[in-house]
């Protein structure tokens, strides 16, 4: 099991946990309740990896990101990021990582983007020449040119996100931590940001840790994913293995000539009926099932849908909970 | 301290000034507005002296000295540290999280947030009052006393800065506590614009030992005027302003560190 790491990890979390006390009820009869937002999370990230940190709402993803960046101190366990202890060496660490929270901005609402970025330069003490060179490079890659002079409050969400990414990268960090970087963006903006992140990773070797609910992000960017559920680690391994761990059947969508009773054929189970359209979960070879369906019904159209990551993760959550919440873990795949 | 706080402070304040200098008209208008807001308080003091010759034994010029010392210290502190009162708002909106992931002390970032020289407008009436009082009063100017004037103004400013920070620290625990913080800062300064003697013993004691407002202007004024305290408090208190400033700043720093340690961000 123990393997000697060839390189020191960028992130090394061992038994990481965080509790919150939640106060509720009327003033006089307040009840204090301990919430275990993150519980015994262990994982490590090697330089140059892109890791997807996945889980349903309230799983503890943002709380983990906050512990990794030093915003919150852990209640249990220990963590090293770039060899530093985030909560104690927060300021030192901040100069070596870039952080973007998709839900909030690091830019200043009232200032034009260019001025916001200039202020960022002063915060990170980037020499003027380096700043100019890096800004020119990022302006080209992220196509910031048309709105550099626009006040941040007037930027669209996609433009603002590109501005935030620039602000997080001007000091050339080793590690980029992204909490839902594509939230609310349209397809074009999402794909622009994905391609940019891939380039950053391959050309400059920047390690990237991102949380997302967008499975397009995961499929395009992450070879390895870490899944947490109810604060505990549920999976750590590569994407293909996640699919294998929680095998998810393909779905056959059948459009019949008219409304009918649920189709009954061998090798498939009808899971949903809506008028003439029916969804069949396949457990046998699709070709045989299609032949059987076409033989017994008059079919207008057929579509075979591959399971996407969303189904896989959902299945992992439900099976994980069924197995008495025992977290299943795989050895990290060195990337 | 210099490397970690003062240098970044100066750099950020300067960067903000340059960013805001692009809107010169609004800068001038806002400066005038701020000047007007504090000018009204000075007019109120002058109005009172239109009806009486002295307040608790303090003549117009002596009262102007107290007013000028308070205003100078408080509005300088407001210029330097006033923005920290918005801590609760930054916590609620999550922008405090973004300050924590930058390599500069979040206190410095908070204090320089939207730093603008327009706040100097608030300093004008108290500077005029101080200059008038110092010119009119018959003060025995030895070199020591002149140097002490500078020390006293710096101490008063430091005390006010510490009050701003202490007020902000409360917001680590109750993010809606801005009004409470304002009661401490604005309330405290309004109280010490007049010689404390007019409030009587109870208030004066509270303003000496509980919240040390007396060391911003009242005790320094007694020192400069070289006169006994009409309330009969310990005469050596008039030398204590620098010591009080150091202690209060240390307390504020400790409170800030405690608040940061207990910071729990917001869910989402
Ligand atoms: N500051 C806080 N105070 C109290 N409880 C908190 C706080 N922050 C998070 N929590 C709780 O911790 C749990 C995990 O929250 P977290 O924000 O980490 O989830 P998440 O995985 O990021 O979810 P989402 O996908 O919705 O962003 C939730 O139950 C949340 O209510
Ligand atoms: Mg989150």
């Amino acid at each position: 099991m123990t393997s000697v790491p060839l390189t020191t990890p960028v992130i090394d979390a061992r038994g990481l946990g965080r509790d919150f006390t939640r106060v509720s009820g009327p003033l006089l009869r307040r009840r204090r309740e301990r919430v275990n937002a993150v519980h015994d999370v262990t994982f490590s990230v090697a330089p140059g990896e892109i890791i997807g940190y996945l889980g349903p709402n309230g799983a503890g993803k943002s709380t983990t990101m906050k512990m990794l960046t030093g915003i919150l101190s852990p209640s249990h366990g220990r963590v090293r990021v770039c060899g530093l202890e985030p909560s104690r060496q927060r300021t030192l660490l901040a100069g070596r990582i870039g952080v973007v929270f998709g839900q909030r901005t690091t830019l200043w609402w009232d200032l034009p983007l260019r001025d916001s970025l200039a202020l960022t330069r002063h915060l990170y003490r980037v020499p003027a020449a380096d700043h100019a060179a890096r800004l020119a490079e990022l302006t080209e890659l992220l196509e910031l040119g048309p709105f550099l002079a626009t006040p941040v409050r007037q930027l669209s969400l996609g433009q603002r996100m590109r501005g935030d990414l620039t602000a997080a990268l001007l000091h050339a960090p080793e590690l980029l931590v992204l909490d839902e970087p594509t939230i609310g963006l349209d397809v074009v903006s999402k794909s622009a940001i994905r391609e940019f992140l891939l380039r950053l990773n391959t050309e400059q070797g920047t390690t990237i840790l991102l949380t997302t609910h967008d499975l397009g992000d995961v499929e395009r960017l992450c070879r390895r994913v870490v899944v947490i559920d109810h604060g505990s680690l549920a999976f750590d391994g590569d994407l293909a293995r996640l699919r294998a761990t929680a095998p998810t059947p393909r779905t056959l969508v059948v459009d019949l000539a008219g409304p009918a009773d649920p189709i009954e054929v061998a090798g498939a189970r009808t899971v949903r009926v809506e008028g003439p359209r029916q969804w069949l979960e396949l457990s046998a070879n699709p070709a045989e099932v299609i032949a059987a369906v076409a033989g017994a019904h008059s079919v207008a159209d057929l579509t075979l849908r591959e399971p996407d990551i969303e189904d896989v993760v959902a299945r992992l959550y439900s099976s994980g909970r069924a197995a008495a919440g025992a977290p299943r873990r795989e050895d990290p795949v060195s990337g | 301290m210099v490397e970690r706080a003062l240098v970044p402070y100066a750099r950020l304040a300067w960067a903000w000034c340059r960013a805001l200098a692009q809107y010169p008209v609004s800068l001038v208008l806002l400066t005038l507005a701020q000047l007007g807001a504090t000018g009204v308080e000075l007019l109120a003091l002058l109005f009172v002296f239109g009806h009486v010759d002295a307040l608790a034994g303090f003549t117009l010029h002596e009262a102007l000295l107290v007013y000028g010392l308070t205003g100078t210290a408080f509005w300088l502190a407001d210029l330097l540290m006033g923005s920290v009162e918005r801590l609760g708002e930054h916590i609620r909106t999550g922008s405090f999280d973004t300050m924590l992931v930058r390599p500069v002390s979040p206190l410095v970032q908070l204090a320089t947030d939207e730093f603008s020289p327009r706040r100097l407008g608030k300093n004008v009436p108290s500077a005029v009052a101080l200059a008038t009082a110092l010119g009119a009063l018959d003060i025995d100017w030895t070199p020591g006393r002149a140097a002490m004037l500078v020390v006293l103004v710096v101490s008063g400013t430091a005390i006010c800065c510490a009050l701003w920070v202490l007020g902000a620290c409360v917001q680590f625990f109750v993010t809606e506590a801005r009004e409470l913080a304002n009661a401490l800062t604005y309330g405290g300064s309004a109280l010490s614009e007049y010689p404390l003697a007019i409030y009587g013993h109870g208030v004066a004691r509270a303003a000496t030992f509980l919240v040390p407002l007396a060391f911003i202007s009242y005790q320094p004024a007694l020192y400069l005027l070289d006169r006994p305290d009409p309330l009969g408090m310990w005469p050596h208190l008039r030398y204590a302003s620098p010591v009080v400033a150091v202690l209060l700043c240390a307390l504020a720093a400790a409170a800030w560190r405690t608040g940061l340690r207990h910071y729990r961000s917001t869910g989402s």
Side-chain angles (χ1 to χ4, degrees):
Chain A
M1 279 295 282
T2 45
S3 58
V4 182
L6 296 175
T7 44
T8 38
V10 178
I11 298 175
D12 189 22
R14 310 221 160 266
L16 196 60
R18 171 75 202 201
D19 304 332
F20 289 108
T21 38
R22 199 179 285 161
V23 189
S24 61
L27 199 62
L28 290 179
R29 253 174 294 140
R30 282 216 162 161
R31 277 185 300 129
R32 291 176 159 275
E33 183 193 3
R34 255 181 126 57
V35 183
N36 208 201
V38 173
H39 177 70
D40 194 18
V41 166
T42 299
F43 71 103
S44 74
V45 177
E49 278 193 286
I50 305 186
I51 303 281
Y53 199 73
L54 313 181
N57 290 129
K61 302 183 297 295
S62 298
T63 305
T64 309
M65 299 299 127
K66 287 174 189 170
M67 287 192 281
L68 297 180
T69 52
I71 294 172
L72 287 175
S73 43
S75 314
H76 312 282
R78 48 153 271 183
V79 59
R80 291 281 181 282
V81 178
C82 300
L84 302 171
E85 191 181 335
S87 58
R88 280 168 197 256
Q89 297 170 295
R90 196 192 65 241
T91 320
L92 205 56
L93 179 63
R96 298 177 53 183
I97 63 174
V99 185
V100 176
F101 296 107
Q103 321 249 27
R104 47 191 70 147
T105 181
T106 39
L107 306 168
W108 288 269
W109 283 114
D110 298 314
L111 299 182
L113 180 57
R114 191 194 304 278
D115 291 6
S116 262
L117 296 174
L119 265 172
T120 307
R121 170 174 101 73
H122 288 286
L123 284 161
Y124 286 88
R125 314 196 66 171
V126 180
D130 292 0
H131 176 83
R134 189 108 176 126
L135 181 59
E137 185 189 340
L138 290 164
T139 301
E140 196 192 314
L141 284 175
L142 286 165
E143 293 167 24
L144 305 177
F147 50 89
L148 268 177
T150 312
V152 172
R153 67 166 69 256
Q154 290 171 22
L155 296 181
S156 76
L157 194 60
Q159 293 171 335
R160 205 211 74 202
M161 182 50 65
R162 284 185 270 162
D164 264 311
L165 273 173
T166 307
L169 289 168
L170 281 172
H171 60 291
E174 301 154 46
L175 168 70
L176 187 59
V177 176
L178 306 166
D179 194 356
E180 306 197 25
T182 56
I183 190 166
L185 304 190
D186 67 24
V187 185
V188 179
S189 304
K190 272 182 187 168
S191 106
I193 286 185
R194 284 176 200 153
E195 297 317 309
F196 170 75
L197 291 176
L198 268 184
R199 238 180 118 163
L200 187 75
N201 175 257
T202 45
E203 287 176 12
Q204 312 198 0
T206 310
T207 310
I208 299 175
L209 175 71
L210 81 157
T211 77
T212 180
H213 291 290
D214 188 297
L215 298 141
D217 291 350
V218 180
E219 295 186 323
R220 183 79 186 100
L221 294 173
C222 312
R223 252 156 306 169
R224 178 177 154 207
V225 295
V226 173
V227 179
I228 60 164
D229 182 27
H230 286 71
S232 298
L233 202 76
F235 179 86
D236 179 354
D238 70 8
L239 198 53
R241 233 193 286 180
L242 173 63
R243 288 211 170 95
T245 309
T248 310
R250 284 183 282 192
T251 310
L252 184 67
V253 185
V254 183
D255 285 322
L256 298 172
D261 288 338
I263 300 171
E264 280 182 41
V265 290
R269 192 167 62 89
T270 306
V271 290
R272 196 168 146 208
V273 179
E274 253 174 44
R277 178 170 287 189
Q278 304 205 2
W279 282 260
L280 279 70
E281 221 177 70
L282 301 183
S283 50
N285 184 342
E288 289 166 20
V289 177
I290 290 172
V293 171
H297 302 268
S298 72
V299 175
D301 196 7
L302 282 171
T303 333
L304 188 62
R305 201 162 69 84
E306 291 292 327
D308 62 19
I309 276 295
E310 189 148 41
D311 304 328
V312 179
V313 169
R315 196 156 270 256
L316 186 75
Y317 299 150
S318 51
S319 63
R321 231 164 286 151
R328 280 169 299 154
R329 216 169 284 170
E330 290 190 15
D331 289 335
V333 177
S334 40
Chain B
M1 168 73 183
V2 172
E3 180 66 13
R4 286 190 33 219
L6 298 187
V7 172
Y9 188 104
R11 290 160 68 95
L12 286 176
W14 176 239
W16 269 110
C17 287
R18 270 205 323 216
L20 296 175
Q22 293 167 22
Y23 317 100
V25 176
S26 93
L27 189 67
V28 168
L29 286 178
L30 285 166
T31 306
L32 289 175
Q34 309 244 336
L35 193 158
T38 50
V40 169
E41 292 171 5
L42 180 55
L43 287 180
L45 180 75
L46 295 176
F47 181 78
V48 170
F49 274 94
H51 296 273
V52 297
D53 290 333
L55 277 179
F58 285 76
T59 65
L60 170 64
H61 286 127
E62 289 168 342
L64 277 180
L65 178 67
V66 172
Y67 175 88
L69 285 171
T70 298
T72 302
F74 184 73
W75 296 118
L76 273 178
D78 175 67
L79 174 77
L80 295 172
M81 280 290 166
S83 292
V84 301
E85 70 169 346
R86 281 166 50 199
L87 176 64
E89 194 184 316
H90 285 291
I91 290 177
R92 278 196 304 279
T93 59
S95 51
F96 192 66
D97 281 358
T98 66
M99 290 184 186
L100 286 172
V101 296
R102 295 189 192 123
V104 171
S105 152
L107 184 58
V108 170
Q109 293 182 57
L110 202 59
T112 53
D113 191 44
E114 297 184 16
F115 183 94
S116 168
R118 68 169 179 245
R119 292 203 207 129
L120 275 173
K122 293 184 185 169
N123 270 295
V124 173
S126 45
V128 170
L130 188 61
T132 312
L134 291 176
L137 288 166
D138 182 23
I139 295 176
D140 174 22
W141 285 113
T142 60
R145 190 152 273 166
M148 194 63 179
L149 174 64
V150 177
V151 171
L152 290 173
V153 169
V154 170
S155 304
T157 307
I159 291 173
C160 292
C161 286
L163 290 179
W164 279 108
V165 173
L166 284 168
C169 287
V170 178
Q171 300 177 40
F172 272 122
F173 302 95
V174 188
T175 51
E176 292 81 12
R178 182 169 169 175
E179 272 71 31
L180 193 74
N182 285 351
L184 186 68
T185 50
Y186 290 103
S189 90
L191 190 80
S192 43
E193 275 172 1
Y194 290 84
L196 276 182
I198 67 168
Y199 302 108
H201 283 95
V203 172
R205 268 202 204 107
T208 304
F209 300 108
L210 207 58
V211 184
L213 300 168
F215 301 96
I216 300 171
S217 60
Y218 181 64
Q219 294 292 352
L222 293 181
Y223 166 80
L224 289 170
L225 298 170
D226 197 15
R227 58 177 281 177
D229 184 353
L231 295 172
M233 277 192 285
W234 197 37
H236 294 306
L237 285 178
R238 62 191 57 187
Y239 305 107
S241 289
V243 179
V244 171
V246 169
L247 290 178
L248 205 62
C249 286
L251 182 69
W256 176 260
R257 277 196 295 272
T258 307
L260 257 193
R261 214 173 23 253
H262 287 89
Y263 177 62
R264 32 185 290 167
S265 183
T266 49
S268 87

